[in-house]
Amino acid sequence: MPGIDMTRDFIAVRIAVLTVSDTRGLAEDRSGQTLVDRIEAAGHSVADRKIIKDEIPDIQAIVKDWIENEEVDVVISTGGTGVTGRDVTPEAFTALYEKEISGFGELFRMLSYQKIGTSTIQSRATAGVAGGTYLFALPGSTGAVKDAWDDILVHQLDYRFMPCNFVELFARLQEGQKRSKS
């Protein structure tokens, strides 16, 4: 049965939060703040937080900086995952992936379907790994952020979660690659 193995020590993860929006500032960023609150409540640290407009080069520049930053283990973005012309986060992220975690988007949509029905088909939530850093792109709604964190990420980013989790794989993410991230 999956769950927390209390015989294992908790390992805090350093997470950068990116809000992708043409219209939001820090004061209006409810989804980003929801992520920050949940990250900290789970015992992890917020390594950085930024808001950027829906532009592929701008999104990629920030994410690349975080991938190269030894103080960032995980990047979670919110926004820009829909199907409109300005929604470009999945394109920005997938171009950076060394490996895609296709199960993340599949699981997110399955869980989301239970709450919003067929409207979940409009989500292009995605995840992958680049430079030893996990990248997760979530929809911009606060509800979607809560669903992704509460139902998936809080477990997979907890070293104690069994039978397996993303944290225990950090040391092996770059096997066979030249660059190593501490």
Side-chain angles (χ1 to χ4, degrees):
M1 181 120 180
I4 299 294
D5 178 349
M6 295 306 287
T7 65
R8 298 180 93 176
D9 291 332
F10 177 79
I11 298 173
V13 176
R14 301 164 297 190
I15 304 171
V17 175
L18 178 64
T19 298
V20 179
S21 174
D22 286 337
T23 59
R24 288 187 219 161
L26 198 56
E28 302 84 24
D29 184 19
R30 290 186 25 229
S31 296
Q33 189 59 51
T34 296
L35 268 175
V36 166
D37 293 343
R38 280 172 159 66
I39 289 165
E40 291 174 343
H44 301 298
S45 64
V46 176
D48 201 356
R49 179 180 180 188
K50 294 191 184 309
I51 299 175
I52 192 74
K53 293 196 181 303
D54 296 82
E55 298 290 343
I56 291 174
D58 297 341
I59 295 167
Q60 287 182 333
I62 290 171
V63 174
K64 284 177 183 177
D65 284 347
W66 284 336
I67 290 168
E68 292 297 321
N69 186 336
E70 299 284 332
E71 299 301 313
V72 175
D73 302 311
V74 176
V75 173
I76 305 176
S77 73
T78 174
T81 63
V83 296
T84 69
R86 294 290 298 154
D87 292 323
V88 297
T89 305
E91 288 78 12
F93 272 50
T94 57
L96 300 176
Y97 293 162
E98 293 160 4
K99 296 197 184 247
E100 185 174 8
I101 306 171
S102 54
F104 174 79
E106 295 163 359
L107 180 57
F108 173 79
R109 284 180 284 281
M110 182 195 79
L111 295 167
S112 181
Y113 177 78
Q114 297 170 10
K115 297 177 182 178
I116 65 168
T118 60
S119 295
T120 194
I121 201 166
Q122 295 181 32
S123 168
R124 297 186 305 136
T126 183
V129 178
T133 303
Y134 288 108
L135 309 175
F136 299 95
L138 311 179
S141 77
T142 304
V145 166
K146 289 177 183 177
D147 293 345
W149 181 265
D150 296 348
D151 297 337
I152 304 171
L153 294 175
V154 72
H155 306 296
Q156 283 299 299
L157 296 177
D158 190 328
Y159 177 72
R160 302 169 302 169
F161 188 80
M162 299 302 288
C164 58
N165 59 76
F166 287 137
V167 178
E168 64 191 357
L169 300 176
F170 273 127
R172 298 181 53 211
L173 289 179
Q174 296 189 77
E175 289 175 338
Q177 297 180 24
K178 293 180 183 175
R179 183 183 166 282
S180 69
K181 188 170 185 170
S182 300

